Amino acid sequence: MCGIVSYIGHRKAVPVLIEGLEKLEYRGYDSAGIATVLDGRIWCEKAVGRISVVAGRVEGKNIPSAVGIGHIRWATHGRPSDINSHPHTDCSGRFAVAHNGIIENFAELKAELQEKGHEFKSQTDTEVLPHLLEELYQGDLVGAVRQAVARLEGSYALAILSSEEPDKIVAVRKDSPLVVGLGQGENFLASDVTAILEYTRDVYILENGDMAVITADGVQLTDREGLPIQREIFHVEWDPVRAEKGGYDHFMLKEIHEQPRALCDTMAGRLKTDHVELAEVSISPETIKALPKIFIVACGTSYHAGMVGKYVIEKLARIPVEVDFASEFRYRDPMLKPEDLVIVISQSGETADTMAALREAKRVGSRILAITNVVGSSVAREADDIIYTWAGPEISVASTKAYTTQVLSLVMLALYFGQVRGTINHEEAEELFTALRLLPEQVETILEQATAIKTIADKIAQNEHVFFIGRSIDHGAALEGALKLKEISYLHAEAYAAGELKHGPLALITNGVPVIALATQDDVYDKMLSNIQEVKAREGYVIAVANEGNEDVANFADEVFYIPRTVKAASAILTVIPLQFLAYYVSLARGCDVDKPRNLAKSVTVE
Ligand code: F6R
């Protein structure tokens, strides 16, 4: 998730771009850059680090240009560095591009362009675009953009500037947000309105497939074929703080809603028609076939993703998996061998306990595969193989989209290992591919039912204790649901494997105690029903989460929240969404600070 700002009009562009990018820093701060046209050529200033570095470099330069594009980067392809910062330019220095998203087919485009003699400076996917434009340009920038974009697969919000036609900025949107701000004798482009609110509150919100040609005097909207289209002008009423959260009241709510996009991005370029491609995993098929054991180490929410990963990897790839708290791993003298694989999961990639566990595994000589959200983080730098979750920056302390993309990454890894090892057959693989592709859409349908969960949340918010129960993969999701609830609402929440209730925790169930019963697993559904009845017999208040079409459960539970049906391996991704909402709304009802819960930090860099 990167940020884009562009300006064309009567002001000096550079200060408008810098101020706009400062407001978008919540979208990423690995590097920043701006480009304008100066003396008939593209002029760029870009640097690793926050936008303040670029601001410092341009200070006092008083650049007169009234057109420019800017970018703030959350690294995906290519580590954070000056050279990988946007905007990217072509060999001739006539085309500059700022991009938010992922170009999935960049490797083949790059190879093709290199063969034609184009020299690439960066490791980014984006750089193919300015070179493509250089190749296609024949005196018509808009036409060249149209042809170039037709070659792209993936997601993109693009701002394109050319010294050949400095009177315009061309913008294109597919699956990454982009708004056009409308001014008087000036117009703007931004990833979200926060960046331009100071200048205008009237915007076009571009939709997938839209192109915009922005000049100082007007904005022309077309589809990909160049046919004119109409979009309503949206008048933004939000204050700047709310605008930064995309109109949501809290980052957590915004991030919950970003999950369909985050899941799409994490799958992008990896889920091929009938196989998984993990570009940054280079474990040989022979090694995968011979893997004796996998250890997963992580903390908190990432550990819970690991719990689900254990089920999925054991099921699909038939490799034994142990899951450890990173904080315990080193101290329990694990029976780790050099031929074992250690999967380290960390959203931030900087958690001290996780880093210590990683180093312990390296000391033994085991291979390390990192699942992390931050390119260039310590975990990513020290691992042998990496799967990046493309969730984008997670600001809220309570992790949401990082968890679902971690689980998705583990499912893809299990599928990959399973196919290499021959432990899943063609039909099973097909079923999984179909199910994974459907997930973003299914998450959307759950998001649409947020108010139903708010009603439940309001009912339980004033209780002292809440219990979560589930079996098999649902147990993993229950652990995560309980953590979400306790960390942001300060309500005491515990999760149990449902079969464990009768071995102790049942003593805590009395009249009206809420029990969230996850009942989405068909193979243990009857057992789960028995557990629900155990709770009801003690007058507990059962809120079930069940698959759509299950009418039976309503006979036993006090409330039922239905989620779309998916395959077992992917189920935790859907089951957790209502639990995230539940935590959010209980926290609100109890008047807690949702995004910054007491005593906690987003990245825990101390042991
Ligand atoms: C809870 C949460 C934490 C983190 C944990 C590990 O919502 O976010 O439990 O999951 O601190 O952090 P990472 O994944 O950055 O290593």
Side-chain angles (χ1 to χ4, degrees), residues 473-496:
I473 284 192
D474 276 349
H475 175 225
L479 286 165
E480 177 55 10
L483 176 63
K484 282 294 84 94
L485 188 59
K486 72 182 101 175
E487 72 176 321
I488 61 167
S489 75
Y490 319 145
L491 199 159
H492 173 230
E494 291 297 338
Y496 294 102

mmCIF file of all heavy atoms in Angstrom, residues 473-496:
data_model
loop_
_atom_site.group_PDB
_atom_site.id
_atom_site.type_symbol
_atom_site.label_atom_id
_atom_site.label_comp_id
_atom_site.label_asym_id
_atom_site.label_seq_id
_atom_site.Cartn_x
_atom_site.Cartn_y
_atom_site.Cartn_z
ATOM 1 N N ILE A 473 -9.613 -26.316 13.268
ATOM 2 C CA ILE A 473 -9.178 -24.969 12.845
ATOM 3 C C ILE A 473 -9.949 -23.883 13.587
ATOM 4 O O ILE A 473 -9.423 -22.804 13.856
ATOM 5 C CB ILE A 473 -9.331 -24.833 11.313
ATOM 6 C CG1 ILE A 473 -8.183 -25.616 10.654
ATOM 7 C CG2 ILE A 473 -9.321 -23.384 10.861
ATOM 8 C CD1 ILE A 473 -8.002 -25.370 9.195
ATOM 9 N N ASP A 474 -11.177 -24.162 13.947
ATOM 10 C CA ASP A 474 -11.959 -23.178 14.707
ATOM 11 C C ASP A 474 -11.317 -22.849 16.053
ATOM 12 O O ASP A 474 -11.542 -21.775 16.607
ATOM 13 C CB ASP A 474 -13.387 -23.706 14.945
ATOM 14 C CG ASP A 474 -14.300 -23.435 13.757
ATOM 15 O OD1 ASP A 474 -13.902 -22.676 12.855
ATOM 16 O OD2 ASP A 474 -15.418 -23.987 13.753
ATOM 17 N N HIS A 475 -10.537 -23.781 16.595
ATOM 18 C CA HIS A 475 -9.856 -23.490 17.852
ATOM 19 C C HIS A 475 -8.825 -22.379 17.642
ATOM 20 O O HIS A 475 -8.694 -21.451 18.446
ATOM 21 C CB HIS A 475 -9.193 -24.752 18.421
ATOM 22 C CG HIS A 475 -8.385 -24.477 19.652
ATOM 23 N ND1 HIS A 475 -7.129 -25.003 19.848
ATOM 24 C CD2 HIS A 475 -8.633 -23.699 20.748
ATOM 25 C CE1 HIS A 475 -6.642 -24.568 20.998
ATOM 26 N NE2 HIS A 475 -7.543 -23.798 21.568
ATOM 27 N N GLY A 476 -8.101 -22.463 16.500
ATOM 28 C CA GLY A 476 -7.130 -21.411 16.168
ATOM 29 C C GLY A 476 -7.816 -20.058 16.049
ATOM 30 O O GLY A 476 -7.350 -19.057 16.598
ATOM 31 N N ALA A 477 -8.950 -20.031 15.356
ATOM 32 C CA ALA A 477 -9.676 -18.770 15.184
ATOM 33 C C ALA A 477 -10.221 -18.276 16.523
ATOM 34 O O ALA A 477 -10.265 -17.064 16.790
ATOM 35 C CB ALA A 477 -10.807 -18.957 14.180
ATOM 36 N N ALA A 478 -10.614 -19.211 17.399
ATOM 37 C CA ALA A 478 -11.135 -18.828 18.725
ATOM 38 C C ALA A 478 -10.042 -18.123 19.534
ATOM 39 O O ALA A 478 -10.298 -17.118 20.214
ATOM 40 C CB ALA A 478 -11.627 -20.074 19.463
ATOM 41 N N LEU A 479 -8.825 -18.643 19.469
ATOM 42 C CA LEU A 479 -7.706 -18.020 20.189
ATOM 43 C C LEU A 479 -7.523 -16.571 19.728
ATOM 44 O O LEU A 479 -7.321 -15.657 20.528
ATOM 45 C CB LEU A 479 -6.410 -18.800 19.928
ATOM 46 C CG LEU A 479 -6.290 -20.147 20.636
ATOM 47 C CD1 LEU A 479 -5.166 -20.972 20.018
ATOM 48 C CD2 LEU A 479 -6.044 -19.954 22.125
ATOM 49 N N GLU A 480 -7.595 -16.380 18.422
ATOM 50 C CA GLU A 480 -7.405 -15.036 17.876
ATOM 51 C C GLU A 480 -8.579 -14.125 18.265
ATOM 52 O O GLU A 480 -8.377 -12.953 18.605
ATOM 53 C CB GLU A 480 -7.237 -15.124 16.355
ATOM 54 C CG GLU A 480 -7.103 -13.810 15.623
ATOM 55 C CD GLU A 480 -5.992 -12.896 16.127
ATOM 56 O OE1 GLU A 480 -5.162 -13.313 16.933
ATOM 57 O OE2 GLU A 480 -5.992 -11.716 15.718
ATOM 58 N N GLY A 481 -9.797 -14.670 18.249
ATOM 59 C CA GLY A 481 -10.970 -13.877 18.648
ATOM 60 C C GLY A 481 -10.853 -13.399 20.084
ATOM 61 O O GLY A 481 -11.157 -12.241 20.408
ATOM 62 N N ALA A 482 -10.390 -14.284 20.958
ATOM 63 C CA ALA A 482 -10.261 -13.920 22.379
ATOM 64 C C ALA A 482 -9.172 -12.871 22.573
ATOM 65 O O ALA A 482 -9.334 -11.929 23.359
ATOM 66 C CB ALA A 482 -9.951 -15.174 23.196
ATOM 67 N N LEU A 483 -8.071 -13.032 21.855
ATOM 68 C CA LEU A 483 -6.989 -12.037 21.980
ATOM 69 C C LEU A 483 -7.475 -10.666 21.529
ATOM 70 O O LEU A 483 -7.235 -9.654 22.201
ATOM 71 C CB LEU A 483 -5.766 -12.470 21.160
ATOM 72 C CG LEU A 483 -4.608 -11.466 21.128
ATOM 73 C CD1 LEU A 483 -4.025 -11.248 22.524
ATOM 74 C CD2 LEU A 483 -3.507 -11.913 20.179
ATOM 75 N N LYS A 484 -8.189 -10.619 20.390
ATOM 76 C CA LYS A 484 -8.690 -9.331 19.887
ATOM 77 C C LYS A 484 -9.558 -8.668 20.940
ATOM 78 O O LYS A 484 -9.417 -7.493 21.233
ATOM 79 C CB LYS A 484 -9.544 -9.517 18.616
ATOM 80 C CG LYS A 484 -8.876 -9.753 17.309
ATOM 81 C CD LYS A 484 -8.044 -8.635 16.767
ATOM 82 C CE LYS A 484 -6.666 -8.674 17.359
ATOM 83 N NZ LYS A 484 -5.637 -9.353 16.661
ATOM 84 N N LEU A 485 -10.462 -9.462 21.507
ATOM 85 C CA LEU A 485 -11.413 -8.888 22.452
ATOM 86 C C LEU A 485 -10.697 -8.358 23.692
ATOM 87 O O LEU A 485 -10.922 -7.234 24.131
ATOM 88 C CB LEU A 485 -12.457 -9.942 22.833
ATOM 89 C CG LEU A 485 -13.629 -9.440 23.665
ATOM 90 C CD1 LEU A 485 -14.387 -8.334 22.938
ATOM 91 C CD2 LEU A 485 -14.598 -10.576 23.986
ATOM 92 N N LYS A 486 -9.805 -9.173 24.265
ATOM 93 C CA LYS A 486 -9.186 -8.715 25.521
ATOM 94 C C LYS A 486 -8.275 -7.526 25.280
ATOM 95 O O LYS A 486 -8.237 -6.599 26.074
ATOM 96 C CB LYS A 486 -8.490 -9.861 26.254
ATOM 97 C CG LYS A 486 -7.211 -10.388 25.676
ATOM 98 C CD LYS A 486 -6.681 -11.558 26.520
ATOM 99 C CE LYS A 486 -7.021 -12.883 25.861
ATOM 100 N NZ LYS A 486 -6.477 -14.054 26.487
ATOM 101 N N GLU A 487 -7.556 -7.504 24.147
ATOM 102 C CA GLU A 487 -6.560 -6.433 24.004
ATOM 103 C C GLU A 487 -7.180 -5.074 23.751
ATOM 104 O O GLU A 487 -6.614 -4.060 24.149
ATOM 105 C CB GLU A 487 -5.509 -6.769 22.936
ATOM 106 C CG GLU A 487 -5.991 -6.706 21.516
ATOM 107 C CD GLU A 487 -4.881 -6.959 20.496
ATOM 108 O OE1 GLU A 487 -3.760 -6.492 20.695
ATOM 109 O OE2 GLU A 487 -5.165 -7.639 19.495
ATOM 110 N N ILE A 488 -8.351 -5.017 23.112
ATOM 111 C CA ILE A 488 -8.875 -3.663 22.843
ATOM 112 C C ILE A 488 -10.094 -3.296 23.687
ATOM 113 O O ILE A 488 -10.493 -2.141 23.697
ATOM 114 C CB ILE A 488 -9.181 -3.427 21.348
ATOM 115 C CG1 ILE A 488 -10.246 -4.390 20.818
ATOM 116 C CG2 ILE A 488 -7.916 -3.482 20.517
ATOM 117 C CD1 ILE A 488 -10.778 -3.970 19.466
ATOM 118 N N SER A 489 -10.684 -4.288 24.398
ATOM 119 C CA SER A 489 -11.863 -3.913 25.203
ATOM 120 C C SER A 489 -11.602 -4.118 26.694
ATOM 121 O O SER A 489 -12.428 -3.766 27.521
ATOM 122 C CB SER A 489 -13.074 -4.735 24.778
ATOM 123 O OG SER A 489 -12.952 -6.051 25.282
ATOM 124 N N TYR A 490 -10.464 -4.721 27.032
ATOM 125 C CA TYR A 490 -10.073 -4.998 28.426
ATOM 126 C C TYR A 490 -11.090 -5.895 29.129
ATOM 127 O O TYR A 490 -11.195 -5.898 30.358
ATOM 128 C CB TYR A 490 -9.845 -3.707 29.228
ATOM 129 C CG TYR A 490 -9.125 -2.616 28.461
ATOM 130 C CD1 TYR A 490 -9.432 -1.272 28.659
ATOM 131 C CD2 TYR A 490 -8.153 -2.937 27.528
ATOM 132 C CE1 TYR A 490 -8.778 -0.278 27.957
ATOM 133 C CE2 TYR A 490 -7.493 -1.947 26.805
ATOM 134 C CZ TYR A 490 -7.812 -0.622 27.013
ATOM 135 O OH TYR A 490 -7.171 0.348 26.293
ATOM 136 N N LEU A 491 -11.832 -6.621 28.346
ATOM 137 C CA LEU A 491 -12.791 -7.570 28.899
ATOM 138 C C LEU A 491 -12.061 -8.917 28.976
ATOM 139 O O LEU A 491 -11.336 -9.277 28.047
ATOM 140 C CB LEU A 491 -13.965 -7.632 27.922
ATOM 141 C CG LEU A 491 -15.291 -8.172 28.359
ATOM 142 C CD1 LEU A 491 -16.382 -7.652 27.426
ATOM 143 C CD2 LEU A 491 -15.310 -9.648 28.366
ATOM 144 N N HIS A 492 -12.239 -9.630 30.044
ATOM 145 C CA HIS A 492 -11.521 -10.893 30.189
ATOM 146 C C HIS A 492 -12.071 -11.924 29.200
ATOM 147 O O HIS A 492 -13.242 -12.279 29.248
ATOM 148 C CB HIS A 492 -11.646 -11.422 31.626
ATOM 149 C CG HIS A 492 -11.064 -12.793 31.758
ATOM 150 N ND1 HIS A 492 -11.743 -13.821 32.352
ATOM 151 C CD2 HIS A 492 -9.892 -13.306 31.338
ATOM 152 C CE1 HIS A 492 -10.994 -14.918 32.305
ATOM 153 N NE2 HIS A 492 -9.861 -14.621 31.699
ATOM 154 N N ALA A 493 -11.215 -12.374 28.286
ATOM 155 C CA ALA A 493 -11.659 -13.321 27.253
ATOM 156 C C ALA A 493 -10.687 -14.485 27.193
ATOM 157 O O ALA A 493 -9.478 -14.289 27.201
ATOM 158 C CB ALA A 493 -11.727 -12.624 25.900
ATOM 159 N N GLU A 494 -11.231 -15.698 27.131
ATOM 160 C CA GLU A 494 -10.387 -16.905 27.052
ATOM 161 C C GLU A 494 -10.896 -17.802 25.936
ATOM 162 O O GLU A 494 -12.105 -17.884 25.705
ATOM 163 C CB GLU A 494 -10.486 -17.717 28.346
ATOM 164 C CG GLU A 494 -9.870 -17.083 29.560
ATOM 165 C CD GLU A 494 -8.375 -16.883 29.443
ATOM 166 O OE1 GLU A 494 -7.723 -17.579 28.637
ATOM 167 O OE2 GLU A 494 -7.864 -15.993 30.132
ATOM 168 N N ALA A 495 -9.974 -18.476 25.290
ATOM 169 C CA ALA A 495 -10.385 -19.427 24.248
ATOM 170 C C ALA A 495 -9.993 -20.834 24.668
ATOM 171 O O ALA A 495 -8.917 -21.046 25.254
ATOM 172 C CB ALA A 495 -9.701 -19.080 22.934
ATOM 173 N N TYR A 496 -10.849 -21.783 24.374
ATOM 174 C CA TYR A 496 -10.564 -23.194 24.677
ATOM 175 C C TYR A 496 -10.896 -24.068 23.480
ATOM 176 O O TYR A 496 -11.851 -23.779 22.731
ATOM 177 C CB TYR A 496 -11.409 -23.664 25.865
ATOM 178 C CG TYR A 496 -11.056 -22.974 27.145
ATOM 179 C CD1 TYR A 496 -11.847 -21.952 27.643
ATOM 180 C CD2 TYR A 496 -9.908 -23.339 27.849
ATOM 181 C CE1 TYR A 496 -11.503 -21.301 28.820
ATOM 182 C CE2 TYR A 496 -9.558 -22.689 29.025
ATOM 183 C CZ TYR A 496 -10.356 -21.674 29.502
ATOM 184 O OH TYR A 496 -10.005 -21.031 30.651
#
